[in-house]
Amino acid sequence: MRKFITKVKRHLDDKFEDVAQGYPHPSAEIGSTVVPWATGAHAATVGSFPTEQDWYRYRKQRGVNLGSWFVLERWIAESPFHDAAAPAQSDLDVARGAHAREILERHWDTWLTEADWKWLADAGINTVRVPIGYYHVCGADPSVLEGTDFADLGAVFTGAWARITNALTIAHRYGIGVLIDLHAAPGKQNADAHSGTSAEPAFFSKPRNMAHTIRVLSSLVSNLTAFVKSRDPPLSNLVGIELLNEPQPGPHDEALKKWYLDAFRTIRAIDPDLPLYIGDAWRTDDYAGFIKSANVPFVVLDHHLYRCFTSEDISTSAAEHARRLRDGHEGTSQMFARVGEALEGVGGAMVVGEWSAALNPGSLHGAGDEMQAKRAYVEAQLQLYERCCAGWFFWTYKKETRGDTGWSFRDAVDAGVFPAGFRRALVRRPAEHDPARDERREQAKDRALGEHTRYWEQYTGHYEHWRFADGFIQGWNDAISFAALAPASHPFMEEIGFKGPWTKQRVRAHVAAKGDSNVWEFEHGLAQGLRAGCEDVAAAQSQ
């Protein structure tokens, strides 16, 4: 990864010579750095986008949750609860039990080892979601515990911070991005024990908890940013912060939205570029609209999908669950398509932060081959998420007791429930110079431009179709170069997943260089070029 930036710059120099002909437009330069992979004399310029950090943050995420590593869940990992105080269900119960510090530090050091990171990378996982509690930050900032349920437990949790930052270091070594998820906030943001305590939630009912969580996030981001910058070279694989896991606002929906806005302002004052992930409170359309109205760059909506808890889930067969996810006319598929498109259009994105292969036994009754039924369910989910989302994270990586192919990614892969070939191997890395590919690009651009022009000829208006051509070539070159810029040891094809934020970056550069009239044509061309370029790379792998 250390050679990444040098490789990017070499691509910039090469791509700058790649000239598209035949479309008149003004030219301009801003600063001194050409926008990567832009087209010759028509290239816009802006800052140094993309960097190695952008490669981690914008690629499509295929990930797992590292559940019960820091935020414990007894059904996943039983051992840490053996000496916990009653009712022995939460982190607070473990911390109040006997030998808590020794138990927790042993668990943190053994639950995930170097061998696990290697296994994940070899399996095709490129990002992990790491659930933490606010109390795990106390090793960097003891004040996060003040006035909370964990106020007198700093000695128990002080060692967590070093393990969290070490996870970033090891993950970077394996080319894995890290999304830090605040899973447990002061006062509990939902009724579940995985929000830190076994008590009733008081996050929304006591405003001081909401205010204190802003301070926790501020400290978390400040300390993470300081850590990644302190490495030599700086770590580039922090892909974002999830502000709050699965909030259950009930009647406090507007308070949650206001809280999100306050958190956006606070965090962006510390790091203006850090992607921010928010939970949708299972009101996906509503919170997609909220992101649109907030007008804050690179905000990602996190939706969690499970089909094993409700009475309707239980009475629906595995085959029917899978069919509904595959059928574009069904409600869930329509929601994903609608929200994914809406968020992309405003520079945001949607991910599925939690999902699994788990089905209630009622759904598997009469299925015959239960493993095959679960595999079909997994494949239906993957198809939906790959089509409509910027990324996904299976819950969870593993369980202490082996054999659960519904909830343990590792067991699901080993049993064939999760398809081992879910990643496309990068067999043929795109060459830096490929005249045949350039010819395919020009042919694809001409076809797309012709269709675009013929369609809009039906409607009277002032158009600048050269902007569409510009966008198409920009998008094609972006897709090709993004795949090519993976480290030499990286075996999988990577593509741009966060197309909304990526497009906003490209549009800003285009507008700065060539003006803002008919910029929608550039956006349309960019989208089609990204898709066509990605298809070209994929086709080359099967030749």
Side-chain angles (χ1 to χ4, degrees):
M1 296 301 293
R2 293 184 178 216
K3 298 179 179 177
F4 188 94
I5 299 301
T6 301
K7 194 174 182 183
V8 169
K9 291 178 179 177
R10 186 171 71 248
H11 270 261
L12 302 191
D13 294 338
D14 293 340
K15 289 298 179 182
F16 187 73
E17 301 302 326
D18 183 14
V19 181
Q21 301 293 334
Y23 296 98
H25 23 341
S27 60
E29 290 192 353
I30 299 174
S32 59
T33 306
V34 178
V35 174
W37 317 313
T39 306
H42 307 314
T45 57
V46 63
S48 58
F49 175 79
T51 63
E52 178 183 342
Q53 183 180 81
D54 297 320
W55 184 75
Y56 278 103
R57 290 180 175 181
Y58 285 88
R59 66 181 175 179
K60 185 177 284 287
Q61 295 167 346
R62 281 98 177 192
V64 296
N65 286 273
L66 302 184
S68 212
W69 188 12
F70 294 103
V71 176
L72 300 174
E73 298 191 45
R74 188 165 187 170
W75 67 279
I76 298 175
E78 169 71 23
S79 295
F81 289 90
H82 288 172
D83 291 322
Q89 295 298 319
S90 68
D91 284 353
L92 184 61
D93 300 336
V94 172
R96 286 177 171 169
H99 315 296
R101 177 170 179 166
E102 177 187 350
I103 288 169
L104 287 173
E105 292 190 350
R106 181 169 61 247
H107 175 75
W108 297 334
D109 290 338
T110 58
W111 185 249
L112 214 74
T113 67
E114 186 96 12
D116 291 290
W117 290 104
K118 182 179 186 305
W119 188 93
L120 287 167
D122 290 345
I125 293 301
N126 68 10
T127 315
V128 292
R129 181 172 179 257
V130 182
I132 68 169
Y134 68 94
Y135 35 91
H136 294 118
V137 184
C138 71
D141 180 2
S143 73
V144 300
L145 302 183
E146 293 175 3
T148 74
D149 296 315
F150 291 79
D152 59 346
L153 296 170
V156 174
F157 289 99
T158 189
W161 183 251
R163 275 87 171 181
I164 292 169
T165 53
N166 190 52
L168 276 161
T169 302
I170 299 175
H172 187 264
R173 190 153 66 237
Y174 288 96
I176 295 175
V178 177
L179 171 63
I180 300 293
D181 156 46
L182 187 62
H183 218 73
K188 292 187 67 175
Q189 72 278 11
N190 61 46
D192 297 303
H194 59 61
S195 288
T197 81
S198 300
E200 292 299 310
F203 178 83
F204 294 101
S205 61
K206 296 182 178 180
R208 69 174 181 272
N209 286 324
M210 301 180 76
H212 187 54
T213 304
I214 297 286
R215 291 193 289 274
V216 168
L217 288 168
S218 176
S219 179
L220 173 62
V221 172
S222 295
N223 283 287
L224 281 174
T225 301
F227 173 78
V228 299
K229 289 181 177 179
S230 71
R231 303 299 94 183
D232 184 17
L235 297 179
S236 52
N237 61 326
L238 176 63
V239 302
I241 297 291
E242 183 148 2
L243 307 187
L244 204 60
N245 175 67
E246 295 185 349
Q248 296 175 352
H252 304 285
D253 194 56
E254 291 306 312
L256 175 59
K257 292 176 181 177
K258 181 182 180 302
W259 182 86
Y260 276 148
L261 291 173
D262 291 342
F264 293 167
R265 284 189 290 269
T266 299
I267 294 172
R268 284 293 165 78
I270 300 167
D271 187 335
D273 300 315
L274 184 67
L276 305 177
Y277 291 62
I278 66 169
D280 67 356
W282 290 281
R283 302 173 187 176
T284 314
D285 282 293
D286 183 23
Y287 278 85
F290 163 74
I291 290 176
K292 180 178 180 179
S293 65
N295 194 31
V296 176
F298 217 146
V299 174
V300 182
L301 189 64
D302 177 15
H303 177 73
H304 296 176
L305 190 149
Y306 295 119
R307 292 291 184 265
C308 56
F309 294 125
T310 70
S311 58
E312 181 182 357
D313 292 341
I314 296 168
S315 63
T316 302
S317 70
E320 179 62 11
H321 278 304
R323 186 201 67 78
R324 291 178 181 177
L325 294 170
R326 289 192 302 266
D327 188 343
H329 299 291
E330 289 286 346
T332 298
S333 296
Q334 289 183 333
M335 181 274 286
F336 269 78
R338 180 176 63 249
V339 170
E341 182 178 1
L343 288 173
E344 184 176 316
V346 298
M350 178 182 181
V351 299
V352 181
E354 294 184 19
W355 65 284
S356 75
L359 290 164
N360 189 277
S363 296
L364 294 166
H365 181 71
D369 187 338
E370 291 190 2
M371 291 298 186
Q372 184 55 43
K374 289 163 74 172
R375 182 185 174 101
Y377 174 55
V378 167
E379 289 175 337
Q381 290 185 84
L382 284 172
Q383 290 168 13
L384 177 62
Y385 306 154
E386 289 284 333
R387 184 172 69 250
C388 298
C389 300
W392 49 260
F393 298 84
F394 191 94
W395 186 277
T396 182
Y397 165 49
K398 68 176 183 178
K399 293 179 65 176
E400 186 173 36
T401 302
R402 296 296 304 270
D404 190 338
T405 58
W407 292 104
S408 167
F409 177 76
R410 186 147 190 170
D411 288 317
V413 170
D414 289 346
V417 167
F418 199 105
F422 71 96
R423 293 298 307 274
R424 186 186 297 274
L426 187 61
V427 179
R428 292 177 175 83
R429 187 178 300 270
E432 294 183 21
H433 301 286
D434 186 342
R437 185 184 66 225
D438 293 343
E439 178 62 25
R440 293 194 301 273
R441 181 195 64 194
E442 293 304 306
Q443 292 173 355
K445 178 203 68 181
D446 290 344
R447 287 193 300 270
L449 179 61
E451 293 173 2
H452 174 83
T453 301
R454 285 190 295 273
Y455 178 83
W456 289 105
E457 281 176 347
Q458 304 173 80
Y459 307 98
T460 303
H462 170 67
Y463 302 111
E464 295 175 289
H465 297 320
W466 59 264
R467 292 188 188 271
F468 178 93
D470 254 17
F472 188 95
I473 291 181
Q474 178 78 75
W476 175 288
N477 287 342
D478 281 358
I480 299 297
S481 295
F482 201 88
L485 287 174
S489 60
H490 194 72
F492 300 107
M493 177 178 162
E494 300 287 6
E495 70 265 33
I496 298 165
F498 289 81
K499 296 177 182 177
W502 184 279
T503 297
K504 293 303 180 186
Q505 288 274 13
R506 288 306 191 205
V507 166
R508 280 193 288 272
H510 179 80
V511 168
K514 302 168 188 177
D516 61 0
S517 66
N518 290 308
V519 71
W520 62 271
E521 293 196 75
F522 177 83
E523 291 179 330
H524 284 204
L526 183 74
Q528 292 190 35
L530 280 171
R531 184 168 58 251
C534 190
E535 290 171 354
D536 190 81
V537 176
Q541 309 312 310
S542 58
Q543 292 176 358

